[in-house]
Amino acid sequence: MIKKANEILDKVEIPFILVWEFMLILRMISTYSLIPSKFDSIIFTIISLVGGLLLIRNGVDWFQKRQRPSVLLLLFTLVMIVSSIVNGPTGLVANFKLIIWEVLFFFVVYELGKKNQKDLFKLVEKVLVFTWLILVIISLGMFFVQFKYTAPLDKLYYGIRMGFVENRLYGVFVDPNYAATISVVAICFSLHLFKEAKSKLYKGILIASIIFEFFFVVLSGSRTATVEILGITVVWVFFYSYYSKRTTVLLKRLVISSVLTVVAVVGLYLTMEVTQKVSLVSAKAVSKVIVIKSNDQDNISLDRPDTGEDSDISNSRFKLWNSAFEIFESTPVIGTSPKGILPYAQKNLPNTWISQKEQTPHNFFFFLLATTGVLGTIPFILFVLYNMIKTLITLFKMNTRNYKEYLFQSLIVLTILISACLITDIVLVNRLGAMMFFLYIGRLNSKNEKETSEIEL
């Protein structure tokens, strides 16, 4: 009976991840927020129940095989629970709902990544690439016809913003920063799928995906995504060159890799600048032909008014980080609880920026400090640092067999990690970026990957 149940759950793993992935994609679309919340709640309740069954199965496996999940993530989960109880009863239900999703990321998604099922990752990549391509094409169409629509909506902080708003391409998405981050991930996925693509049509779609996602990153005005795409270019070019020149003397390898990296970054930056100019000229030409009434075709610009010379260059991030640290100082041990940062700030520190603007810290480190204190921050940061250092060492010492595959997986994790330093991501959220982070960091830790990738000391 137990064996049959495990076989069924094994078959459920891939559909579980794909459905959850697709629903997280839908949540990033502005108009999805107009659908009654009951629909979203029902779907995610089903997802959480299936995830709970997989969690129980994993727990039984750990007990029978005398294995254990990540101790650091277990400690962090324990702190979240304690912080929620101590800061309760207010927000207790909301906290435990969030903790459920965190547990599923830590002990189901991460563990599935460690299984290194090739079919799972291929399907995850295809779902994102093809779904995102459709959404980005629609969004780019909005830019070139200069479509704009805004409306207040309680569910969304800024309300609904669609099309080209405040000199940024929101397109069909709720937030251009998150959307641009996923576009960077989609570019990586498209490049990865391209190497195994056989039909010309499939290759053409993947090439189109890379081009359109790149255009969206540029037109979104997301500096976060700009840092991400430049950052992964540095890592990819350097280590790919380092691997290719493995028969060369070490010093020469490092010099060549560094020079090629600089050239690649400069080339990419210039390409982004040219893409901006070409897009602006094209949009002005298209809007004059298609749009019947428009008073500002000649004034189309990608200069963001919120980051100009007279504005805060960090777009209030420094104020949010400082505000989060103030909250941390007032409750340094266990924090405010995962969902308690805003209520706590409004009650105890009403003059802080977070209290006044009702925003999250936009940085996972400061978010952790404020919500889980030092007890929660230390184990999670150690988990991230351990994986960063191990991955970096592995990239420098890898065997030749799986180098490119391991490097690709590292780029996905790096993209989301950079994102989490500038917007709220990877932890204390139920977002697509967090799913990709734990799925691919799990893959980096998979037994098969270790056995075939790392050089024995």
Side-chain angles (χ1 to χ4, degrees):
M1 186 72 176
I2 296 176
K3 184 178 180 182
K4 184 156 187 170
N6 284 336
E7 289 175 355
I8 293 173
L9 288 174
D10 287 342
K11 293 178 181 178
V12 166
E13 287 177 342
I14 292 179
F16 163 74
I17 290 293
L18 297 181
V19 171
W20 191 2
E21 175 191 17
F22 184 72
M23 290 305 300
L24 290 176
I25 291 173
L26 287 185
R27 277 190 171 181
M28 298 182 74
I29 303 172
S30 292
T31 50
Y32 179 73
S33 299
L34 298 174
I35 297 174
S37 298
K38 286 184 178 180
F39 171 79
D40 183 79
S41 298
I42 291 171
I43 298 298
F44 276 90
T45 298
I46 294 172
I47 292 172
S48 66
L49 290 174
V50 175
L53 293 174
L54 292 171
L55 176 63
I56 293 170
R57 190 276 312 273
N58 288 347
V60 173
D61 284 348
W62 293 327
F63 179 77
Q64 291 179 340
K65 298 175 183 178
R66 296 186 178 182
Q67 297 175 344
R68 66 170 184 260
S70 169
V71 174
L72 293 172
L73 292 180
L74 277 173
L75 288 173
F76 177 69
T77 302
L78 179 62
V79 173
M80 285 194 294
I81 294 172
V82 171
S83 178
S84 299
I85 294 172
V86 171
N87 287 286
T90 304
L92 198 59
V93 174
N95 276 318
F96 274 95
K97 283 183 178 178
L98 178 59
I99 291 171
I100 288 171
W101 293 114
E102 294 300 291
V103 167
L104 293 182
F105 280 135
F106 298 163
F107 308 119
V108 177
V109 175
Y110 177 59
E111 294 298 325
L112 285 176
K114 287 166 69 175
K115 284 186 175 182
N116 200 8
Q117 302 179 63
K118 302 297 183 182
D119 290 342
L120 168 62
F121 287 94
K122 189 175 292 186
L123 287 170
V124 164
E125 292 167 17
K126 287 181 178 179
V127 167
L128 180 61
V129 166
F130 287 101
T131 306
W132 209 255
L133 176 59
I134 294 170
L135 297 175
V136 163
I137 288 174
I138 296 171
S139 299
L140 291 174
M142 291 178 174
F143 171 77
F144 287 109
V145 301
Q146 287 298 285
F147 174 83
K148 173 183 177 180
Y149 176 79
T150 60
L153 187 66
D154 291 339
K155 291 182 184 179
L156 302 176
Y157 183 80
Y158 289 111
I160 290 181
R161 294 182 174 186
M162 295 183 67
F164 192 61
V165 182
E166 295 183 353
N167 296 346
R168 303 187 68 183
L169 180 57
Y170 280 72
V172 301
F173 303 107
V174 173
D175 187 304
N177 286 318
Y178 283 114
T181 292
I182 300 302
S183 292
V184 175
V185 173
I187 290 172
C188 294
F189 283 174
S190 298
L191 289 168
H192 186 241
L193 292 170
F194 186 83
K195 69 177 186 178
E196 294 182 0
K198 295 180 180 179
S199 73
K200 291 182 179 180
L201 176 61
Y202 188 22
K203 289 183 177 180
I205 291 173
L206 293 174
I207 292 172
S209 172
I210 295 167
I211 294 172
F212 290 143
E213 308 297 354
F214 181 76
F215 265 83
F216 184 85
V217 169
V218 171
L219 299 176
S220 68
S222 173
R223 293 169 300 169
T224 298
T226 299
V227 174
E228 291 164 6
I229 201 167
L230 291 174
I232 64 172
T233 298
V234 168
V235 173
W236 180 69
V237 174
F238 178 86
F239 282 106
Y240 188 85
S241 173
Y242 183 84
Y243 164 74
S244 299
K245 303 292 183 182
R246 57 189 178 278
T247 57
T248 310
V249 178
L250 178 60
L251 180 61
K252 188 175 181 181
R253 286 171 73 184
L254 293 172
V255 171
I256 293 174
S257 299
S258 300
V259 171
L260 289 175
T261 300
V262 172
V263 172
V265 169
V266 172
L268 177 60
Y269 183 80
L270 293 176
T271 301
M272 295 178 78
E273 290 290 309
V274 171
T275 302
Q276 275 195 355
K277 291 179 171 54
V278 170
S279 298
L280 287 172
V281 172
S282 301
K284 291 176 182 179
V286 171
S287 63
K288 288 179 180 178
V289 174
I290 296 179
V291 180
I292 298 175
K293 292 182 179 180
S294 179
N295 297 322
D296 57 355
Q297 292 105 326
D298 295 326
N299 296 320
I300 300 173
S301 172
L302 292 172
D303 295 326
R304 289 174 54 180
D306 59 340
T307 58
E309 292 182 3
D310 299 327
S311 303
D312 178 5
I313 191 171
S314 72
N315 200 14
S316 297
R317 281 180 174 82
F318 295 153
K319 294 178 181 178
L320 288 169
W321 298 350
N322 182 66
S323 180
F325 195 78
E326 288 181 89
I327 295 170
F328 159 70
E329 287 180 314
S330 70
T331 174
V333 180
I334 57 171
T336 65
S337 82
K339 295 286 284 187
I341 184 170
L342 182 57
Y344 180 91
Q346 291 177 330
K347 179 182 178 181
N348 300 287
L349 299 165
N351 295 323
T352 56
W353 193 257
I354 285 176
S355 175
Q356 294 173 358
K357 295 300 180 180
E358 299 184 351
Q359 290 181 305
T360 55
H362 282 52
N363 176 286
F364 82 102
F365 175 72
F366 289 106
F367 200 13
L368 287 170
L369 280 177
T371 55
T372 63
V374 292
L375 290 183
T377 303
I378 289 174
F380 193 85
I381 294 300
L382 286 177
F383 172 79
V384 173
L385 288 176
Y386 167 77
N387 282 283
M388 285 176 60
I389 294 170
K390 181 179 70 65
T391 300
L392 189 61
I393 291 173
T394 303
L395 285 172
F396 273 113
K397 300 184 349 182
M398 282 186 79
N399 205 335
T400 59
R401 188 170 175 181
N402 277 348
Y403 195 93
K404 296 176 185 176
E405 192 72 13
Y406 194 90
L407 178 56
F408 158 73
Q409 295 154 17
S410 304
L411 298 181
I412 302 302
V413 173
L414 178 61
T415 299
I416 307 300
L417 186 58
I418 293 173
S419 164
C421 292
L422 299 169
I423 56 180
T424 306
D425 213 341
I426 77 173
V427 67
L428 304 180
V429 292
N430 180 15
R431 292 185 180 275
L432 184 61
M435 171 180 277
M436 296 302 162
F437 178 82
F438 284 102
L439 189 64
Y440 278 85
I441 209 168
R443 194 174 184 186
L444 288 174
N445 283 292
S446 67
K447 184 179 179 182
N448 291 338
E449 207 66 57
K450 289 179 182 178
E451 287 177 347
T452 57
S453 301
E454 294 180 353
I455 290 179
E456 295 292 330
L457 290 174

